[in-house]
Amino acid sequence: MYDLIIFIVLLALGYGFGRYAESKHYKSIIKREKELNKIPAVATRIPPIRRQDLNSQLVAGNVVISIDYFKRFIAGLRNIFGGRVTSYETLLDRARREAILRMKEEAEKLNAELVFNIKLETSSIHKGRGNSIGSVEVLAYGTALYPS
Amino acid sequence: MIVSNLEVVPGKRTIKHFGLVQGSSVRAKHVGRDFMAGLKNIFGGELKGYTELLQESREEAYNRMLEQAKATGANAVLNVRFSTSSIAAGAAELFAYGTAVTLE
């Protein structure tokens, strides 16, 4: 009986705080993305030939982000029925965008014009109970080109 | 020291190759951070402690790679890649590698 009460309380806490944290995070991501749109980040491997006067420097940004209890429960249910696991989709979307933003913030400090050869790397670093994914780390890195 | 994950550096020619240089670091998380991470697993959100931990150990791997490049006498490391692997419960290996070269 107590187990059930604790489970329901955890679900409710996860639902409430998780939703709040996610919407807050998305607002901040969208706001910062607009500001940092002036530094394009592209996945091309070859830098522009016409611009030979730029310096290059490696920039990186990483973030570790955790899923909440409610969403993990929903994802567990999805394992039975199959289909899109939207709760993990938003988790990974947030993590990738945040990592790219942090990388761009570092590039902005260098006064960079653009960031080349973006690589994204995802790894799950903390497994929850039953081998479900608890939190993911995303690393974004690339070469910032800045005028000397 | 120029470090870049492009294969060429704009405006500079590669005159000498030294081959692969690499650096790695294995870190474990400590109990306090693990406890906080457990709480965050209920509420969701960013795990700042882990973000910092991974960043620090990635920097260490990166610095070890640079030391190796310096020891060979290179002045740049190109085509740098990072990789992460969890080798045991609670420990992760951060690995950085690249090609050491001399630019003119």
Side-chain angles (χ1 to χ4, degrees):
Chain A
M1 188 62 199
Y2 280 118
D3 282 356
L4 188 70
I5 292 169
I6 289 171
F7 174 70
I8 289 168
V9 167
L10 285 180
L11 269 190
L13 281 175
Y15 183 71
F17 283 96
R19 267 183 76 120
Y20 172 71
E22 188 179 289
S23 66
K24 209 174 102 183
H25 193 199
Y26 262 124
K27 266 181 204 154
S28 117
I29 286 176
I30 290 164
K31 188 173 149 247
R32 283 183 298 155
E33 265 179 356
K34 272 183 192 150
E35 284 167 14
L36 287 168
N37 260 347
K38 61 180 190 235
I39 308 173
V42 289
T44 319
R45 279 164 57 216
I46 314 294
I49 296 164
R50 273 179 295 160
R51 300 298 306 272
Q52 299 283 314
D53 56 326
L54 297 171
N55 291 327
S56 46
Q57 160 93 45
L58 196 75
V59 286
N62 74 326
V63 65
V64 180
I65 199 164
S66 169
I67 197 166
D68 60 62
Y69 198 86
F70 179 76
K71 284 193 165 182
R72 187 157 43 219
F73 176 69
I74 295 296
L77 286 184
R78 269 275 175 242
N79 272 338
I80 301 168
F81 302 116
R84 278 178 67 178
V85 191
T86 35
S87 46
Y88 281 141
E89 282 177 358
T90 53
L91 178 80
L92 286 162
D93 180 51
R94 273 159 69 195
R96 293 221 170 91
R97 284 162 84 172
E98 178 72 35
I100 290 175
L101 281 173
R102 287 188 184 176
M103 182 196 68
K104 280 189 177 179
E105 273 160 15
E106 210 179 296
E108 197 187 22
K109 280 183 205 148
L110 291 168
N111 234 340
E113 284 184 14
L114 72 175
V115 185
F116 253 91
N117 202 10
I118 302 271
K119 302 273 176 203
L120 285 164
E121 203 196 276
T122 316
S123 49
S124 84
I125 59 154
H126 188 279
K127 300 261 202 245
R129 215 178 293 160
N131 222 19
S132 66
I133 301 165
S135 44
V136 290
E137 197 226 359
V138 173
L139 167 74
Y141 59 102
T143 302
L145 297 179
Y146 61 98
S148 42
Chain B
M1 193 90 163
I2 293 172
V3 183
S4 146
N5 76 339
L6 298 173
E7 282 145 50
V8 288
V9 173
K12 294 198 170 75
R13 219 152 44 88
T14 306
I15 49 177
K16 203 172 174 191
H17 257 270
F18 293 99
L20 198 71
V21 286
Q22 51 188 309
S24 80
S25 108
V26 180
R27 289 277 175 111
K29 54 208 181 194
H30 68 71
V31 183
R33 274 172 172 165
D34 222 17
F35 176 70
M36 285 304 289
L39 283 184
K40 278 278 179 178
N41 269 329
I42 297 168
F43 300 125
E46 190 190 342
L47 308 176
K48 293 220 170 65
Y50 278 9
T51 307
E52 276 163 28
L53 179 76
L54 286 166
Q55 199 175 355
E56 278 165 22
S57 57
R58 193 165 281 125
E59 258 163 39
E60 195 172 322
Y62 176 83
N63 287 336
R64 283 182 185 164
M65 179 188 72
L66 287 194
E67 267 168 36
Q68 207 184 333
K70 269 177 203 153
T72 60
N75 70 358
V77 185
L78 301 185
N79 212 0
V80 172
R81 294 280 181 279
F82 291 105
S83 99
T84 317
S85 46
S86 69
I87 48 167
E93 193 213 14
L94 288 303
F95 184 52
Y97 57 101
T99 311
V101 295
T102 299
L103 298 175
E104 64 179 5

